[in-house]
Amino acid sequence: MSGSSDVPALRRGLAILRLLAGRAGPVSAGVIARDLDLPRSTTYHLLSELVAAGFVTHLPEERRYGLGMATFELGSAYLRHDPLERLAGPLLRRLVDEVGSTAHLGVLHGGESLYLIKERPSQPQTLVTDVGVRLPAQLTASGRAVLAHLPAAQVRAVLPTSERFVRRTDRGPRNLPELRRLLATELRRGWAVEDGFVTAGFASVACPVFDHGGHPIAAISVTFRHPCEGPECENTWPDLAAQVHRTAAELTNRISGRTT
């Protein structure tokens, strides 16, 4: 790049890569030009440069373009650097200092919540959640914070049968219709709540983290002791949820994500 005049070309090239990344398969130059509102000559020039650099592959028999090996190499390098955990760590430590309870960063892994980070206060309480632990996604606040923002078909795909609705206590959704009603409530509210679903006497609140496409990729949760006998007390802890939401929003901003 020789100067600031090349910046628009860079932005257009990145837009092409994002478009290709969002498609199920290769697309034609005409589709790229149309969807990005680019002149066809500009589109072909940018594609030629991206092909030469290895970021795009040209399929001449199909007259289409797809992502090249260089994008795979970048993605692999990204994962090796653990960027989500590195960016989230300081935010979770600050959140723990503010609320005095354990905070987690979790992701959806199939039908389970997988915990990547656990930050504890100076006087921690014993929890079943830990780094690397997997729990049924429908039971955890972090799992449902992500599930609530997924299409109904995708939720059904990760929890296809009643056998997947295992229970750890006498609480929590028992089937897909119950889960859908709970997700709808939590989507409207803006955060997920888990009250004794995982461990009796403990509750959690969680908010999702979004990528640049507005897709939920993780959730930040806070877990705390909350004895609650009998039926659920229906407490939603809005003040605590506001602090968790601010932290999740900051992590979303740090990864250049956007909310839907």
Side-chain angles (χ1 to χ4, degrees), residues 236-248:
T236 60
W237 298 280
D239 292 338
L240 176 60
Q243 293 174 285
V244 177
H245 181 269
R246 283 196 295 270
T247 304

Side-chain angles (χ1 to χ4, degrees), residues 4-107:
S4 60
S5 62
D6 293 313
V7 171
L10 173 61
R11 288 175 178 163
R12 290 171 173 174
L14 292 173
I16 289 176
L17 292 177
R18 284 185 172 178
L19 184 147
L20 293 176
R23 298 302 174 91
V27 297
S28 68
V31 169
I32 294 171
R34 182 198 67 201
D35 288 0
L36 297 180
D37 194 22
L38 295 174
R40 292 180 71 91
S41 59
T42 299
T43 302
Y44 278 110
H45 174 72
L46 292 170
L47 285 170
S48 294
E49 292 294 329
L50 290 168
V51 168
F55 288 97
V56 169
T57 296
H58 182 215
L59 305 172
E61 290 79 12
E62 300 181 30
R63 296 183 180 180
R64 295 183 180 185
Y65 295 83
L67 292 176
M69 283 299 298
T71 58
F72 173 78
E73 292 167 359
L74 279 180
S76 298
Y78 177 87
L79 293 175
R80 288 197 302 272
H81 291 177
D82 296 326
L84 189 62
E85 293 95 317
R86 289 175 180 269
L87 291 171
L91 301 182
L92 262 65
R93 285 192 290 273
R94 187 182 67 195
L95 179 61
V96 168
D97 290 340
E98 292 174 353
V99 303
S101 298
T102 301
H104 301 87
L105 176 71
V107 297

Side-chain angles (χ1 to χ4, degrees), residues 229-241:
E229 301 296 333
E232 297 175 53
C233 63
E234 298 184 357
N235 195 336
T236 60
W237 298 280
D239 292 338
L240 176 60

Side-chain angles (χ1 to χ4, degrees), residues 91-92 94-96 98-99 103-105 141 145 149 186-193 204-210 218-222 236-254 258-260:
L91 301 182
L92 262 65
R94 187 182 67 195
L95 179 61
V96 168
E98 292 174 353
V99 303
H104 301 87
L105 176 71
H149 290 267
E186 293 177 331
L187 183 63
R188 289 193 299 269
R189 185 170 58 215
W191 67 91
V193 171
S204 300
V205 298
C207 294
V209 176
F210 299 92
I220 289 176
S221 61
V222 167
T236 60
W237 298 280
D239 292 338
L240 176 60
Q243 293 174 285
V244 177
H245 181 269
R246 283 196 295 270
T247 304
E250 187 170 351
L251 181 55
T252 294
N253 184 63
R254 284 192 171 198
R258 64 175 180 85
T259 57
T260 54

